[in-house]
Amino acid sequence: MRNSWIRRIVGAAAFAGLATWTLTGEAANPLPEGNGTLAADIAFLQKGLSKEPQKREVPTLKAVAMLIALNAQNQMDGKDAAKMAGVRDAALAVAGAVTKKDFAAAKTAAASLSDAKPAADAKPVTLGGMHKFDLDELMSSFRKGTVGGLNLEADVKAQSKKVTDPQAAAVIAGRVALIGEYTLGLPPEGIDAAKKKQWDAWSKEMTTLAADIAKESAKADKADKVKMATGFRNLDANCNACHTAFRN
Ligand code: HEC
């Protein structure tokens, strides 16, 4: 449902603190090493842009490009900093081209993600507000795969019943953790302080719950699948709580 009353704050100020993930006092990168989300998102983007995308696929393609940019920037704290900055910049080029509906340029930029050139200047940038990325586009990625989404809503519900493949669960959780970071920076405009507090709490909780699942799945064979399913149930409750208050 689209809320006409929601006008997104796209100003950079709304995103203070997004560039490094210090908002809940955790480390800059909510995802554990070896989490497969970056590779899965690059593959999704390249496939989606291998042909002229359908209109309904476009918002999620842009969202995935922005998720890649954030994920790469979150990993700019180690020895791969220049490489990760290069991935981020290529992903931002995809997001910019998709915004302009220049799908040929988007396809070329997406292809370059497989072997991104290290950036000369590996400094964090403020991703919030870039390419007018908004909540509609961000949330579109939760929709079913059959309508161009990442199928995350259905996947979260399925995983909350039973986790069988920790690696698949790692990608679902990884995507949701990153989405939570952007959600935090995209509160509906004009809400009062009490509502804003709720928005912030649910956004941070989305990332924290999803990151905990991703951390558990990183234990591979030793991952506690029952614990992960419980994590997905808590995540589903988080989605519902925010929707009851903010989505009508
Ligand atoms: C902090 C609040 C918040 C949280 C947490 C949240 N959402 Fe949303 N969601 C919204 C709002 C607001 C909208 C309506 C956005 C719009 O105007 O399209 C929405 C829209 C959606 C849509 C519709 C997108 C479309 O394009 O039709 C889906 C699907 C969705 N959310 C799934 C989820 C799932 C799954 C989770 C949990 C993993 C979640 N959301 C967590 C606030 C939230």
Side-chain angles (χ1 to χ4, degrees):
M1 301 299 123
R2 300 282 188 285
N3 290 323
S4 56
W5 58 272
I6 293 183
R7 290 281 174 273
R8 265 37 119 189
I9 297 173
V10 293
F15 287 85
L18 184 69
T20 49
W21 204 67
T22 55
L23 292 155
T24 58
E26 298 215 359
N29 185 1
L31 300 181
E33 211 173 308
N35 176 273
T37 304
L38 189 67
D41 280 346
I42 289 173
F44 180 90
L45 204 57
Q46 290 176 339
K47 183 159 184 264
L49 289 165
S50 63
K51 48 174 184 3
E52 171 99 12
Q54 292 176 33
K55 197 171 172 227
R56 63 186 184 184
E57 297 173 311
V58 173
T60 299
L61 289 170
K62 179 170 169 182
V64 170
M66 294 301 288
L67 294 182
I68 293 169
L70 176 59
N71 198 347
Q73 176 151 294
N74 282 344
Q75 295 178 54
M76 274 168 48
D77 52 358
K79 61 177 166 40
D80 291 335
K83 170 85 183 162
M84 284 297 144
V87 171
R88 176 202 61 198
D89 294 344
L92 288 174
V94 176
V98 169
T99 306
K100 287 190 214 132
K101 299 194 170 57
D102 184 348
F103 298 117
K107 181 181 174 179
T108 306
S112 82
L113 281 165
S114 298
D115 190 22
K117 270 204 240 73
D121 189 8
K123 283 208 196 74
V125 297
T126 303
L127 293 169
M130 219 174 252
H131 303 307
K132 302 200 168 105
F133 185 44
D134 68 17
L135 191 69
D136 274 349
E137 292 164 334
L138 179 64
M139 289 281 157
S140 80
S141 56
F142 281 121
R143 293 172 309 152
K144 286 209 159 60
T146 48
V147 294
L150 286 172
N151 212 54
L152 292 174
E153 183 165 56
D155 285 346
V156 166
K157 284 191 197 302
Q159 300 287 324
S160 72
K161 296 199 178 83
K162 193 173 167 51
V163 170
T164 48
D165 178 355
Q167 200 42 50
V171 172
I172 297 163
R175 285 168 165 164
V176 175
L178 296 167
I179 289 171
E181 289 192 74
Y182 277 115
T183 305
L184 184 60
L186 289 168
E189 198 180 80
I191 55 175
D192 63 21
K195 281 267 183 193
K196 175 70 167 53
K197 219 170 140 189
Q198 283 187 315
W199 184 272
D200 291 356
W202 281 322
S203 302
K204 288 179 195 173
E205 190 187 55
M206 171 156 43
T207 295
T208 310
L209 291 172
D212 282 349
I213 299 168
K215 279 178 195 127
E216 189 62 35
S217 60
K219 296 178 190 164
D221 289 351
K222 295 199 179 64
D224 183 340
K225 293 176 193 157
V226 174
K227 188 174 164 193
M228 288 170 68
T230 305
F232 278 110
R233 252 189 320 278
N234 292 336
L235 193 55
D236 189 37
N238 163 271
C239 318
N240 294 335
C242 189
H243 290 167
T244 302
F246 287 100
R247 185 180 166 199
N248 34 45

